């Protein structure tokens, strides 16, 4: 069974994804492609598409709720890595639930993880 995030993508089209500009600076160890971001304030950038309506991160590929994934998964911003899918690690995630509800998707339940290989890899 595939990871639930791969048939979702809702949180990538619901929250403003803001983080320190240094995450786009390779010289400082940053990995996020600067071209996928825009300036928010003197200290922060945002993922393009997450600071305007309709909100959808430029790095999200596919159809929300059907088949979607992050095209920069291995190098995505720290804030994205901090989002936990509900019940993947045995606990509820408010961000995950909010994202899914905003896209008319039911919040995940513990049962959604039964038989899922590679939990945490989406
Ligand atoms: S963390 Fe939750 S809202 Fe985000 S893609 Fe995964 S299942 Fe969907
Ligand atoms: S960078 Fe990837 S994980 Fe983060 S919001 Fe965009 S598509 Fe989602």
């Amino acid at each position: 069974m595939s990871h639930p995030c791969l048939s979702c993508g809702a949180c990538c089209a619901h929250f403003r994804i803001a983080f320190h500009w240094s995450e786009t600076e390779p010289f400082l160890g940053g990995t996020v492609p600067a071209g996928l971001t825009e300036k928010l304030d003197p200290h922060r950038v945002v993922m393009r598409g997450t600071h305007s309506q309709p909100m959808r991160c430029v790095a999200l590929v596919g159809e929300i709720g059907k088949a979607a994934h992050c095209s920069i998964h291995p190098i995505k911003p720290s804030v994205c890595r901090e989002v936990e899918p509900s019940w993947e690690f045995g606990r509820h995630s408010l961000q995950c639930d909010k994202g899914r509800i905003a896209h008319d998707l039911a919040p995940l339940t513990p049962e959604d993880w039964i038989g899922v290989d590679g939990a945490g890899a989406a």
Side-chain angles (χ1 to χ4, degrees):
M1 204 169 127
S2 66
H3 194 287
C5 289
L6 296 175
S7 55
C8 182
C11 58
C12 307
H14 184 62
F15 297 106
R16 187 184 71 182
I17 307 298
F19 50 97
H20 195 263
W21 62 265
S22 61
E23 290 193 45
T24 67
E25 177 49 70
F27 183 70
L28 297 173
T31 59
V32 182
L36 299 183
T37 68
E38 58 189 69
K39 184 175 177 177
L40 176 63
D41 61 31
H43 303 289
R44 294 178 299 168
V45 295
V46 289
M47 287 303 292
R48 278 175 37 216
T50 70
H51 192 42
S52 55
Q53 294 295 336
M55 191 180 285
R56 180 182 166 122
C57 178
V58 68
L60 183 66
V61 174
E63 187 179 348
I64 293 167
K66 301 255 189 257
H69 68 274
C70 174
S71 61
I72 60 167
H73 174 65
I75 55 172
K76 64 188 179 184
S78 56
V79 286
C80 300
R81 282 185 255 119
E82 287 162 9
V83 175
E84 261 185 33
S86 270
W87 302 108
E88 180 172 18
F89 303 107
R91 53 188 175 244
H92 162 266
S93 162
L94 191 59
Q95 285 175 304
C96 177
D97 290 357
K98 276 187 174 177
R100 287 182 62 90
I101 289 168
H103 287 272
D104 295 325
L105 299 167
L108 296 178
T109 67
E111 287 69 36
D112 289 310
W113 296 97
I114 295 171
V116 174
D117 292 329

